[in-house]
């Protein structure tokens, strides 16, 4: 069980690191290209990413501890849920800022989405295929 808690912490730490890195890169791009409102685009994407990644890690920890046989279902479900949350976030941005101003929000959110999706895929594929955590053999 300690391995699961340690891996959850590692996943969250790497997620936060990637979110901070993306935010700093976004700020640099905003300054370099003089993009107005870049902080708002980055704030929406960073908050979305922190909430989704933290929930993902905490639910994974619970599933890994309580019913490790259903982890493959979890991996599929979390991908669909993440996409639905991203679409809902884009829709809320569309409602709040309007049709003409929503494009930058969508572009920045998609960058965060794909980077963190890659992180999720790489982390858990290494975990399950690399044998670092053998949950099924207790």
């Amino acid at each position: 069980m300690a391995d699961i808690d340690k891996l959850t912490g590692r996943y969250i730490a790497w997620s936060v690191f990637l979110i901070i890195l993306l935010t700093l890169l976004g700020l640099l791009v905003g300054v370099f290209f003089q993009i107005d409102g870049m902080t708002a685009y980055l704030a929406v994407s960073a908050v979305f990413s922190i909430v989704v990644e933290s929930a993902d890690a905490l639910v994974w920890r619970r599933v890994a501890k309580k019913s490790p046989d259903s982890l493959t279902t979890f991996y599929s479900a979390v991908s669909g849920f993440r996409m639905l949350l991203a679409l809902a976030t884009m829709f809320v941005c569309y409602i709040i800022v309007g049709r003409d101003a929503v494009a930058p929000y969508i572009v920045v959110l998609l960058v965060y989405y794909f980077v963190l999706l890659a992180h999720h895929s790489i982390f858990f594929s290494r975990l399950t295929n690399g044998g670092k955590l053998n949950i099924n053999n207790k």
Side-chain angles (χ1 to χ4, degrees):
M1 294 299 173
D3 282 347
I4 293 172
D5 292 332
K6 188 186 303 183
L7 289 167
T8 301
R10 188 179 305 157
Y11 181 79
I12 291 173
W14 273 104
S15 297
V16 169
F17 171 75
L18 287 173
I19 292 166
I20 290 170
L21 183 66
L22 287 170
T23 304
L24 291 175
L25 288 173
L27 288 172
L28 286 174
V29 167
V31 168
F32 186 73
F33 291 106
Q34 299 176 351
I35 300 171
D36 293 332
M38 191 64 160
T39 54
Y41 314 144
L42 294 170
V44 168
S45 298
V47 169
F48 166 81
S49 299
I50 288 172
V51 169
V52 169
E53 290 296 298
S54 298
D56 181 10
L58 296 175
V59 172
W60 176 81
R61 180 178 68 186
R62 182 165 173 83
V63 170
K65 286 182 176 181
K66 300 289 183 188
S67 59
D69 294 336
S70 58
L71 279 174
T72 53
T73 305
F74 165 77
Y75 297 136
S76 299
V78 80
S79 295
F81 188 65
R82 180 190 315 255
M83 183 173 37
L84 289 175
L85 284 175
L87 290 172
T89 303
M90 289 181 215
F91 181 67
V92 169
C93 287
Y94 173 78
I95 290 173
I96 292 173
V97 300
R99 180 180 180 188
D100 297 333
V102 77
Y105 285 97
I106 292 173
V107 169
V108 173
L109 184 66
L110 286 176
V111 170
Y112 278 78
Y113 177 85
F114 286 123
V115 168
L116 293 172
L117 183 65
H119 168 250
H120 172 87
S121 300
I122 292 168
F123 186 89
F124 288 113
S125 68
R126 282 186 176 177
L127 185 68
T128 55
N129 296 335
K132 289 185 180 180
L133 181 64
N134 197 354
I135 297 173
N136 294 324
N137 295 333
K138 290 185 179 180

